[in-house]
Amino acid sequence: MSTTFQLDTATSRANPTPAPMKRLTVPAIQRRKFEGKTEQPLVMLTAYTARQAQLLDQHCDMLLVGDSLGQVIYGLPSTLQVTLDMMIAHGAAVVRGSYHSVVIVDMPFGSYEASPQQAFESASRIMAETGCAAVKLEGGQAMAETIAFLSQRGIPVMAHVGLTPQAVNALGGYGARGRSQEEHAKIIADGQAVADAGAFAVVVEGVLEPIAVALTRSVEIPVIGIGASAQCDGQVLVTDDMLGMFERVPRFVKKYGDIAGVISETAARYAEEVRSRTFPGVEQTYQPKKK
Ligand code: KIV
């Protein structure tokens, strides 16, 4: 599958992706952690559309087509309603819009938990139909067998431990994890289990900082933090959160922009010009050719 746009007509908004360069690979990401250290932290952001991918690609090492798209794009109450078809459609768009980053697509709830075979069927569809380089799935020790099954069959897996949003009903909410000794120990054991099973990296989300630091030190694979610690091997955020698209964001999000404000002010100016009949102006209208 081509990673650059084929379509380049004067009327298309699908800008061709600029000068294709060699895309990063999963082994290259893994090599960034050497002898337990990552000199240059890995940068990951979520992307859901081709245009978003084009804009983020050059700044990132990895683009995650997260199932957070359920809430961010579709206005769903949680990630539980996200389907394989949704992930595949957005995954393919992000691969088309990028040429540099490793693209990882989330496996949605219900598409992998039943058995390693079910996970292989879903993951192989995602890989074949999107052209992505890897999949991500939630779960630690309970998913180790599945991670090993996929990894041994050519499917690189990024794991996700700590606060795992697909388990929101079992966890009882989106609060930080690891406040008890038991939970602390379980998160570390989960991270070690997925590393031993062959995951190429692991996301640790919403945990007390000492847990994130301890996990980062205890496994060979890159640990990507979200609501975790700057000492992790890399960081990920939901792009729309950090752009300032939403008023309410989790405490661990830093808003780097105010995209909601820009959209609202711009729409207000447009509405005002439509109502005052100052848009469209001469530059935006077609006139008969002068004879
Ligand atoms: O779905 C998602 O966007 C994620 C990240 C928050 C890690 O899993």
Side-chain angles (χ1 to χ4, degrees), residues 136-141 147 158-165 177 186-194 202-207 211 215 223-224 226:
K136 177 165 83 58
L137 56 80
E138 295 183 9
Q141 295 158 93
I147 292 169
M158 174 178 272
H160 185 155
V161 301
L163 170 59
T164 46
R177 311 300 302 168
K186 182 178 182 316
I187 296 165
I188 300 282
D190 279 342
Q192 286 168 341
V194 298
V202 57
V203 167
V204 62
E205 176 169 356
V207 299
I211 300 176
L215 180 61
V223 175
I224 312 297
I226 172 166

Side-chain angles (χ1 to χ4, degrees), residues 32-247:
R32 291 272 290 272
K33 186 167 183 175
F34 182 64
E35 293 180 350
K37 286 211 170 58
T38 306
E39 288 294 329
Q40 203 187 24
L42 290 155
V43 179
M44 180 158 99
L45 279 171
T46 62
Y48 314 119
T49 66
R51 183 61 181 148
Q52 200 180 28
Q54 283 181 323
L55 295 171
L56 301 174
D57 191 34
Q58 62 178 305
H59 307 290
C60 293
D61 301 302
M62 292 177 280
L63 291 175
L64 171 66
V65 186
D67 61 354
S68 51
L69 63 75
Q71 288 125 310
V72 175
I73 304 278
Y74 290 92
L76 294 168
S78 75
T79 56
L80 300 186
Q81 296 83 1
V82 173
T83 66
L84 202 50
D85 287 340
M86 284 156 86
M87 295 310 303
I88 287 171
H90 288 274
V94 169
V95 171
R96 284 195 294 273
S98 61
Y99 60 96
H100 163 70
S101 304
V102 169
V103 177
I104 300 147
V105 176
D106 255 345
M107 300 193 70
F109 178 67
S111 73
Y112 63 94
E113 301 89 332
S115 65
Q117 286 75 13
Q118 183 210 21
F120 184 83
E121 274 163 35
S122 302
S124 57
R125 250 199 86 193
I126 292 175
M127 305 274 300
E129 294 180 36
T130 68
C132 72
V135 295
K136 177 165 83 58
L137 56 80
E138 295 183 9
Q141 295 158 93
M143 281 299 129
E145 188 191 345
T146 294
I147 292 169
F149 192 88
L150 297 183
S151 310
Q152 287 158 15
R153 286 161 180 77
I155 300 180
V157 180
M158 174 178 272
H160 185 155
V161 301
L163 170 59
T164 46
Q166 292 176 9
V168 62
N169 290 303
L171 299 177
Y174 295 104
R177 311 300 302 168
R179 293 199 184 276
S180 69
Q181 268 309 315
E182 245 178 309
E183 225 174 74
H184 179 131
K186 182 178 182 316
I187 296 165
I188 300 282
D190 279 342
Q192 286 168 341
V194 298
D196 291 347
F200 77 92
V202 57
V203 167
V204 62
E205 176 169 356
V207 299
L208 302 194
E209 182 165 29
I211 300 176
V213 174
L215 180 61
T216 303
R217 289 191 183 139
S218 74
V219 294
E220 292 286 308
I221 59 173
V223 175
I224 312 297
I226 172 166
S229 171
Q231 301 309 311
C232 291
D233 301 301
Q235 301 295 324
V236 59
L237 279 177
V238 169
T239 296
D240 299 64
D241 284 347
M242 71 96 183
L243 288 177
M245 187 67 165
F246 299 105
E247 284 74 33

